Amino acid sequence: VDIDAPECWDHTIGSTGIKIAILDQGPVDSTHQDLTGRVVQRDAGASEGHATAVAGVAAATGNNSIGIAGVDWRCKIISRTIDEWNGPFTAQVINQAVDSGALALNMSWTTRREVPCSPSGYDPDIRQSLVRAYNYNRVSVAAMGNESIECRAYPAGYGHGIIAVGAITSTGERIYN
């Protein structure tokens, strides 16, 4: 039920040549002791909670007796803030992350805001920017949502070339908010 990161660390603990973009509602805390010196681009902003937690899962330094160990202990982090939920702005942020050299894009948010399900979260500008990322051989990872409803969430719902993820328990059961 997990990605088997400890088994991978027997082969590699990461690379300084990798850049991961954390595209979130707030910036990554570049002074966090597990991430210090690794945030190479960062938008200004006050709220650092969620983006920093996401960056920690992806990239916290391992074997330092602090916090957790991320998947890649050496990668660089591009922290971009998506504080406007509109297609052109979000697409621009995605394109800038790709152009900055991010090999992986993490989007732990969804544009679907309405319940019951509504197609209103679909945006052609965002979809096109993710197609562009795919065409540039970038990996896009997006939250599918943890609501207890069965409907498509975007950007994960755009499909082709996007890895959709959700939260599970240690026994593999889906977590609902």
Side-chain angles (χ1 to χ4, degrees):
V1 297
D2 60 30
I3 64 170
D4 294 329
E7 291 82 356
C8 291
W9 295 329
D10 290 340
H11 304 283
T12 183
I13 56 171
S15 170
T16 58
I18 301 292
K19 292 181 185 175
I20 297 175
I22 306 298
L23 312 178
D24 212 302
Q25 288 179 298
V28 173
D29 179 359
S30 59
T31 65
H32 189 284
Q33 50 195 338
D34 260 342
L35 303 170
T36 299
R38 308 228 332 270
V39 179
V40 294
Q41 290 182 26
R42 178 183 183 273
D43 290 336
S47 174
E48 298 173 335
H50 188 261
T52 302
V54 171
V57 170
T61 302
N63 284 345
N64 63 355
S65 302
I66 300 170
I68 65 168
V71 176
D72 186 324
W73 302 359
R74 296 180 175 164
C75 71
K76 302 298 182 188
I77 299 165
I78 297 171
S79 174
R80 296 300 320 269
T81 301
I82 296 178
D83 55 6
E84 296 179 36
W85 298 104
N86 70 60
F89 175 82
T90 302
Q92 179 183 10
V93 169
I94 293 168
N95 287 334
Q96 288 171 344
V98 169
D99 294 343
S100 295
L103 295 179
L105 311 172
N106 183 85
M107 299 163 282
S108 295
W109 43 268
T110 64
T111 58
R112 178 185 30 75
R113 297 276 188 226
E114 301 169 13
V115 177
C117 299
S118 167
S120 65
Y122 182 90
D123 187 281
D125 291 322
I126 297 172
R127 174 64 178 131
Q128 187 58 40
S129 67
L130 292 169
V131 168
R132 180 177 179 270
Y134 177 79
N135 288 337
Y136 278 68
N137 294 316
R138 304 313 198 253
V139 174
S140 296
V141 179
M144 195 59 194
N146 297 323
E147 296 84 2
S148 58
I149 54 176
E150 298 294 327
C151 57
R152 188 176 300 249
Y154 297 101
Y158 291 120
H160 184 74
I162 300 168
I163 300 170
V165 298
I168 59 171
T169 67
S170 61
T171 60
E173 296 176 47
R174 185 174 172 187
I175 295 174
Y176 297 101
N177 288 347

